[in-house]
Short mmCIF file of all heavy atoms in Angstrom, two decimals:
data_model
loop_
_atom_site.label_atom_id
_atom_site.label_comp_id
_atom_site.label_asym_id
_atom_site.label_seq_id
_atom_site.Cartn_x
_atom_site.Cartn_y
_atom_site.Cartn_z
N GLY A 845 156.18 130.39 136.09
CA GLY A 845 155.30 129.22 136.08
C GLY A 845 155.41 128.47 137.38
O GLY A 845 155.77 129.02 138.41
N THR A 846 155.11 127.19 137.34
CA THR A 846 155.18 126.35 138.52
C THR A 846 156.03 125.14 138.18
O THR A 846 155.93 124.57 137.11
CB THR A 846 153.77 125.88 138.94
OG1 THR A 846 152.95 127.03 139.16
CG2 THR A 846 153.82 125.04 140.20
N ILE A 847 156.91 124.77 139.12
CA ILE A 847 157.79 123.62 138.91
C ILE A 847 157.24 122.41 139.65
O ILE A 847 156.86 122.51 140.82
CB ILE A 847 159.21 123.93 139.41
CG1 ILE A 847 159.91 124.90 138.47
CG2 ILE A 847 160.03 122.65 139.52
CD1 ILE A 847 160.33 124.30 137.15
N TYR A 848 157.18 121.29 138.95
CA TYR A 848 156.82 120.01 139.56
C TYR A 848 157.96 119.03 139.33
O TYR A 848 158.70 119.14 138.34
CB TYR A 848 155.57 119.43 138.91
CG TYR A 848 154.31 120.24 139.08
CD1 TYR A 848 154.02 121.29 138.21
CD2 TYR A 848 153.39 119.93 140.08
CE1 TYR A 848 152.85 122.01 138.34
CE2 TYR A 848 152.22 120.64 140.22
CZ TYR A 848 151.95 121.69 139.35
OH TYR A 848 150.79 122.41 139.48
N THR A 849 158.10 118.08 140.23
CA THR A 849 158.95 116.94 139.92
C THR A 849 158.04 115.85 139.36
O THR A 849 156.87 115.76 139.72
CB THR A 849 159.69 116.41 141.16
OG1 THR A 849 158.75 116.10 142.18
CG2 THR A 849 160.67 117.46 141.68
N ALA A 850 158.59 115.04 138.48
CA ALA A 850 157.79 114.01 137.82
C ALA A 850 158.66 112.80 137.52
O ALA A 850 159.89 112.88 137.56
CB ALA A 850 157.18 114.56 136.53
N ILE A 851 158.02 111.67 137.22
CA ILE A 851 158.72 110.45 136.87
C ILE A 851 158.41 110.08 135.42
O ILE A 851 157.24 110.04 135.02
CB ILE A 851 158.31 109.29 137.79
CG1 ILE A 851 158.60 109.62 139.26
CG2 ILE A 851 159.01 108.00 137.38
CD1 ILE A 851 160.08 109.81 139.56
N ASP A 852 159.46 109.85 134.64
CA ASP A 852 159.28 109.35 133.28
C ASP A 852 158.92 107.87 133.38
O ASP A 852 159.72 107.06 133.87
CB ASP A 852 160.59 109.54 132.50
CG ASP A 852 160.47 109.13 131.05
OD1 ASP A 852 159.68 108.22 130.74
OD2 ASP A 852 161.18 109.71 130.21
N LYS A 853 157.74 107.49 132.95
CA LYS A 853 157.28 106.11 133.08
C LYS A 853 158.14 105.13 132.28
O LYS A 853 158.23 103.95 132.61
CB LYS A 853 155.83 106.00 132.62
CG LYS A 853 154.81 106.54 133.61
CD LYS A 853 153.40 106.25 133.11
CE LYS A 853 152.35 106.66 134.14
NZ LYS A 853 150.98 106.36 133.67
N VAL A 854 158.74 105.62 131.21
CA VAL A 854 159.54 104.74 130.36
C VAL A 854 160.91 104.46 130.98
O VAL A 854 161.34 103.32 131.09
CB VAL A 854 159.71 105.35 128.95
CG1 VAL A 854 160.63 104.47 128.10
CG2 VAL A 854 158.36 105.53 128.28
N THR A 855 161.61 105.53 131.40
CA THR A 855 162.97 105.38 131.92
C THR A 855 163.03 105.27 133.43
O THR A 855 164.02 104.80 133.98
CB THR A 855 163.83 106.58 131.49
OG1 THR A 855 163.32 107.77 132.12
CG2 THR A 855 163.80 106.75 129.97
N GLY A 856 161.97 105.73 134.11
CA GLY A 856 161.97 105.75 135.57
C GLY A 856 162.76 106.89 136.16
O GLY A 856 162.90 107.00 137.38
N LEU A 857 163.27 107.77 135.30
CA LEU A 857 164.06 108.90 135.78
C LEU A 857 163.17 110.03 136.29
O LEU A 857 162.09 110.27 135.76
CB LEU A 857 164.95 109.44 134.66
CG LEU A 857 166.06 108.51 134.16
CD1 LEU A 857 166.78 109.15 132.98
CD2 LEU A 857 167.04 108.19 135.28
N LYS A 858 163.64 110.71 137.33
CA LYS A 858 162.94 111.89 137.83
C LYS A 858 163.30 113.09 136.95
O LYS A 858 164.47 113.28 136.59
CB LYS A 858 163.32 112.17 139.28
CG LYS A 858 162.54 113.31 139.91
CD LYS A 858 162.91 113.49 141.38
CE LYS A 858 162.33 112.39 142.23
NZ LYS A 858 162.54 112.67 143.69
N VAL A 859 162.31 113.89 136.58
CA VAL A 859 162.54 115.08 135.77
C VAL A 859 161.84 116.26 136.43
O VAL A 859 161.04 116.09 137.36
CB VAL A 859 162.00 114.91 134.33
CG1 VAL A 859 162.76 113.82 133.60
CG2 VAL A 859 160.50 114.62 134.32
N ALA A 860 162.14 117.46 135.95
CA ALA A 860 161.46 118.67 136.41
C ALA A 860 160.50 119.11 135.31
O ALA A 860 160.85 119.09 134.13
CB ALA A 860 162.46 119.77 136.71
N VAL A 861 159.30 119.50 135.71
CA VAL A 861 158.30 119.97 134.75
C VAL A 861 157.95 121.41 135.08
O VAL A 861 157.45 121.71 136.17
CB VAL A 861 157.02 119.11 134.81
CG1 VAL A 861 156.01 119.60 133.76
CG2 VAL A 861 157.34 117.64 134.59
N LYS A 862 158.24 122.30 134.15
CA LYS A 862 157.91 123.71 134.32
C LYS A 862 156.56 123.94 133.63
O LYS A 862 156.43 123.82 132.42
CB LYS A 862 158.99 124.57 133.67
CG LYS A 862 158.86 126.06 133.90
CD LYS A 862 160.08 126.76 133.30
CE LYS A 862 160.07 128.25 133.56
NZ LYS A 862 161.28 128.91 133.00
N GLN A 863 155.54 124.22 134.42
CA GLN A 863 154.17 124.36 133.91
C GLN A 863 153.84 125.85 133.82
O GLN A 863 153.77 126.56 134.81
CB GLN A 863 153.22 123.64 134.87
CG GLN A 863 151.83 123.41 134.32
CD GLN A 863 150.98 122.65 135.32
OE1 GLN A 863 150.30 123.25 136.15
NE2 GLN A 863 151.04 121.34 135.28
N ILE A 864 153.62 126.33 132.59
CA ILE A 864 153.46 127.76 132.34
C ILE A 864 152.08 128.05 131.77
O ILE A 864 151.69 127.48 130.75
CB ILE A 864 154.53 128.24 131.34
CG1 ILE A 864 155.93 127.91 131.86
CG2 ILE A 864 154.39 129.73 131.08
CD1 ILE A 864 157.01 128.00 130.82
N ASN A 865 151.35 128.94 132.43
CA ASN A 865 150.05 129.37 131.92
C ASN A 865 150.29 130.44 130.85
O ASN A 865 150.72 131.55 131.15
CB ASN A 865 149.19 129.93 133.06
CG ASN A 865 147.77 130.22 132.62
OD1 ASN A 865 147.54 130.74 131.52
ND2 ASN A 865 146.80 129.90 133.46
N LEU A 866 150.00 130.10 129.60
CA LEU A 866 150.30 131.01 128.50
C LEU A 866 149.47 132.28 128.54
O LEU A 866 149.90 133.33 128.07
CB LEU A 866 150.08 130.28 127.17
CG LEU A 866 151.03 129.10 126.91
CD1 LEU A 866 150.64 128.39 125.62
CD2 LEU A 866 152.47 129.56 126.86
N ASN A 867 148.27 132.21 129.12
CA ASN A 867 147.41 133.39 129.21
C ASN A 867 147.99 134.45 130.15
O ASN A 867 147.62 135.62 130.08
CB ASN A 867 146.01 133.01 129.66
CG ASN A 867 145.28 132.16 128.63
OD1 ASN A 867 145.50 132.32 127.42
ND2 ASN A 867 144.42 131.26 129.09
N GLN A 868 148.88 134.02 131.04
CA GLN A 868 149.47 134.95 132.01
C GLN A 868 150.82 135.48 131.56
O GLN A 868 151.44 136.27 132.26
CB GLN A 868 149.61 134.24 133.36
CG GLN A 868 148.28 133.85 133.98
CD GLN A 868 148.45 133.07 135.27
OE1 GLN A 868 149.56 132.79 135.71
NE2 GLN A 868 147.33 132.70 135.89
N GLN A 869 151.27 135.06 130.39
CA GLN A 869 152.56 135.50 129.88
C GLN A 869 152.38 136.75 129.02
O GLN A 869 151.86 136.68 127.90
CB GLN A 869 153.23 134.39 129.07
CG GLN A 869 153.47 133.12 129.85
CD GLN A 869 154.32 133.34 131.09
OE1 GLN A 869 155.42 133.90 131.01
NE2 GLN A 869 153.83 132.92 132.24
N VAL A 870 152.78 137.90 129.55
CA VAL A 870 152.61 139.16 128.83
C VAL A 870 153.53 139.22 127.61
O VAL A 870 153.13 139.64 126.52
CB VAL A 870 152.90 140.37 129.76
CG1 VAL A 870 152.77 141.68 129.00
CG2 VAL A 870 151.94 140.33 130.96
N LYS A 871 154.77 138.78 127.80
CA LYS A 871 155.74 138.81 126.71
C LYS A 871 156.08 137.38 126.31
O LYS A 871 157.06 136.79 126.78
CB LYS A 871 157.00 139.57 127.13
CG LYS A 871 156.75 141.05 127.42
CD LYS A 871 158.05 141.78 127.73
CE LYS A 871 157.81 143.27 127.94
NZ LYS A 871 159.07 143.99 128.24
N LYS A 872 155.28 136.84 125.43
CA LYS A 872 155.48 135.45 125.02
C LYS A 872 156.77 135.26 124.24
O LYS A 872 157.32 134.15 124.16
CB LYS A 872 154.29 134.97 124.19
CG LYS A 872 153.00 134.86 124.99
CD LYS A 872 151.86 134.31 124.16
CE LYS A 872 150.60 134.08 124.99
NZ LYS A 872 150.09 135.29 125.62
N GLU A 873 157.30 136.36 123.67
CA GLU A 873 158.55 136.24 122.93
C GLU A 873 159.71 135.85 123.84
O GLU A 873 160.67 135.21 123.42
CB GLU A 873 158.89 137.55 122.21
CG GLU A 873 159.20 138.75 123.08
CD GLU A 873 157.96 139.52 123.51
OE1 GLU A 873 156.84 139.01 123.34
OE2 GLU A 873 158.12 140.65 124.00
N LEU A 874 159.62 136.22 125.15
CA LEU A 874 160.65 135.83 126.10
C LEU A 874 160.64 134.33 126.33
O LEU A 874 161.69 133.70 126.46
CB LEU A 874 160.45 136.57 127.43
CG LEU A 874 160.60 138.09 127.40
CD1 LEU A 874 160.38 138.66 128.79
CD2 LEU A 874 161.96 138.51 126.87
N LEU A 875 159.44 133.76 126.37
CA LEU A 875 159.31 132.32 126.54
C LEU A 875 159.88 131.58 125.33
O LEU A 875 160.59 130.58 125.47
CB LEU A 875 157.84 131.97 126.74
CG LEU A 875 157.48 130.48 126.84
CD1 LEU A 875 158.23 129.84 128.00
CD2 LEU A 875 155.98 130.31 127.01
N ILE A 876 159.56 132.09 124.15
CA ILE A 876 160.07 131.48 122.92
C ILE A 876 161.60 131.54 122.90
O ILE A 876 162.28 130.57 122.53
CB ILE A 876 159.48 132.19 121.68
CG1 ILE A 876 157.97 131.96 121.63
CG2 ILE A 876 160.15 131.68 120.40
CD1 ILE A 876 157.26 132.79 120.57
N ARG A 877 162.15 132.67 123.32
CA ARG A 877 163.60 132.84 123.35
C ARG A 877 164.24 131.87 124.33
O ARG A 877 165.28 131.27 124.05
CB ARG A 877 163.95 134.27 123.72
CG ARG A 877 165.44 134.61 123.60
CD ARG A 877 165.72 135.98 124.16
NE ARG A 877 164.88 136.99 123.53
CZ ARG A 877 164.55 138.15 124.09
NH1 ARG A 877 164.99 138.43 125.31
NH2 ARG A 877 163.81 139.02 123.46
N GLU A 878 163.60 131.70 125.50
CA GLU A 878 164.13 130.79 126.50
C GLU A 878 164.18 129.36 125.97
O GLU A 878 165.19 128.66 126.11
CB GLU A 878 163.29 130.85 127.78
CG GLU A 878 163.77 129.90 128.87
CD GLU A 878 162.96 129.99 130.14
OE1 GLU A 878 161.87 130.59 130.12
OE2 GLU A 878 163.43 129.46 131.17
N LEU A 879 163.08 128.92 125.36
CA LEU A 879 163.03 127.57 124.81
C LEU A 879 164.06 127.39 123.70
O LEU A 879 164.69 126.34 123.58
CB LEU A 879 161.63 127.25 124.29
CG LEU A 879 160.53 127.09 125.34
CD1 LEU A 879 159.19 126.83 124.68
CD2 LEU A 879 160.88 125.97 126.31
#
């Protein structure tokens, strides 16, 4: 996927956002396992 940095508006903390296009995931079971 693609990684973005982002700000939580509530806490003001910086977080990482992993943005994954599900249509491009051949083995979705790997994604489920990772989560």
Side-chain angles (χ1 to χ4, degrees):
T846 303
I847 287 287
Y848 297 84
T849 55
I851 301 296
D852 184 330
K853 285 186 175 181
V854 176
T855 65
L857 294 176
K858 185 178 286 188
V859 296
V861 182
K862 187 175 183 178
Q863 194 178 91
I864 304 165
N865 187 319
L866 295 175
N867 293 328
Q868 296 176 359
Q869 301 302 306
V870 178
K871 295 184 177 180
K872 292 183 175 60
E873 66 274 13
L874 296 180
L875 176 58
I876 295 171
R877 187 187 306 156
E878 179 178 14
L879 290 178

